[in-house]
Amino acid sequence: MRKTLLLLIVAGFAKFSFAQTDAFETQNKIYKSALKNYDLSVATNALYNMIALKPERTDLNDSLVYLYFGGERYAQTYLLGEQILKADGKRNDILELVAISKQNLGLIKEALSDYEKLYAETKSIYYVYQQATLQYQLKRFGECIASLDQIIASTETEKQKVNIRVQGGSQDVPMKAAAYNVKGICALELNQQEAAKENFNKALQIFPDFMLPKGNLEAMNKKTEGKASANKPAA
């Protein structure tokens, strides 16, 4: 009797295991099919079902956080990314997604802290550029200029470009040119007009089609012309 009962339990467990495996594979097929059709909502639901069926598969959380990020769901990326980092603090790939998400959510100080960690780990000048843009947003102009000078002095920037939003779209710009442009804007904030012009012109020397410094110089020239016209004595 005991032997029969044991066999029934084993058989039942085996059926449950096979059923669970079948359910997981079904959800996996749905997930892959949804990704092909860029149906992120269905893909997300399938991933959640897969995680529920096999919670030991921690790699599924990686797929989910990348799915959230790809769909620009920054709050979810941030929250799930932090959970993954809590389990493994050395995941720089996840930390970068979290930093970008915080940046898009307006958590500027928190994003800056993450980029500082990323630079400390990787020494990539790209993260210094990200730090500089955030330092500017925080009006920490001294720190921002120091970061920009580090970028300008680095030979690594010769090979790197950054994508910058401009009116009507975006531009891929040499990082050094982008650094000079931001440095020019910092000079304007500090009321250093000549330094601003010098930096905008240096940006254009590197990348003549760079729309931002062109626009900044045009705005400065119009302002100067406006003042000259206002000060002109009446005939």
Side-chain angles (χ1 to χ4, degrees):
M1 181 66 180
R2 287 181 181 177
K3 187 175 180 181
T4 302
L5 184 59
L6 182 61
L7 287 171
L8 286 171
I9 291 170
V10 170
F13 180 76
K15 285 181 182 179
F16 173 76
S17 297
F18 283 127
Q20 189 182 43
T21 300
D22 288 344
F24 183 88
E25 288 306 319
T26 298
Q27 293 300 320
N28 193 21
K29 287 177 182 177
I30 293 170
Y31 167 69
K32 289 178 179 178
S33 180
L35 279 186
K36 285 181 181 177
N37 296 316
Y38 204 70
D39 191 336
L40 301 186
S41 178
V42 171
T44 300
N45 287 334
L47 266 177
Y48 269 114
N49 289 332
M50 291 162 71
I51 290 167
L53 288 164
K54 292 191 176 183
E56 71 278 6
R57 285 281 305 273
T58 55
D59 60 300
L60 296 173
N61 286 324
D62 291 3
S63 299
L64 184 57
V65 78
Y66 275 102
L67 193 60
Y68 278 144
F69 184 79
E72 297 183 358
R73 296 173 68 177
Y74 296 117
Q76 290 86 351
T77 303
Y78 163 37
L79 292 171
L80 181 56
E82 290 284 12
Q83 291 178 37
I84 295 171
L85 289 170
K86 194 172 181 180
D88 184 359
K90 294 181 179 180
R91 292 292 303 277
N92 289 333
D93 57 329
I94 301 297
L95 181 57
E96 183 170 6
L97 299 187
V98 170
I100 297 169
S101 298
K102 288 177 180 176
Q103 198 170 350
N104 279 279
L105 292 167
L107 302 171
I108 306 303
K109 287 183 180 178
E110 294 84 350
L112 176 57
S113 177
D114 287 342
Y115 281 120
E116 287 170 347
K117 289 176 186 174
L118 284 165
Y119 177 69
E121 288 288 327
T122 66
K123 301 302 178 187
S124 170
I125 204 71
Y126 171 78
Y127 296 127
V128 180
Y129 178 79
Q130 295 301 327
Q131 288 176 48
T133 61
L134 296 175
Q135 286 161 346
Y136 171 77
Q137 289 180 54
L138 293 168
K139 298 187 181 300
R140 287 154 60 170
F141 301 124
E143 292 178 25
C144 180
I145 291 169
S147 295
L148 295 168
D149 285 340
Q150 183 181 349
I151 293 165
I152 291 165
S154 172
T155 56
E156 190 181 340
T157 57
E158 304 292 340
K159 302 174 184 177
Q160 294 213 26
K161 291 189 176 183
V162 289
N163 186 265
I164 294 180
R165 291 178 185 174
V166 296
Q167 189 174 5
S170 64
Q171 279 188 300
D172 287 326
V173 177
M175 187 182 288
K176 189 171 286 190
Y180 274 122
N181 181 62
V182 179
K183 194 174 179 182
I185 296 169
C186 286
L188 281 180
E189 294 280 1
L190 297 170
N191 201 29
Q192 298 170 353
Q193 306 295 317
E194 290 306 313
K197 284 184 181 180
E198 182 183 348
N199 282 294
F200 292 144
N201 281 315
K202 283 182 178 179
L204 289 171
Q205 285 172 13
I206 297 169
F207 188 54
D209 294 327
F210 194 177
M211 293 175 67
L212 293 185
K214 275 185 181 179
N216 291 331
L217 284 170
E218 285 173 8
M220 289 182 74
N221 290 333
K222 284 180 182 178
K223 193 173 181 180
T224 302
E225 288 168 6
K227 283 183 180 179
S229 178
N231 294 331
K232 187 177 179 179

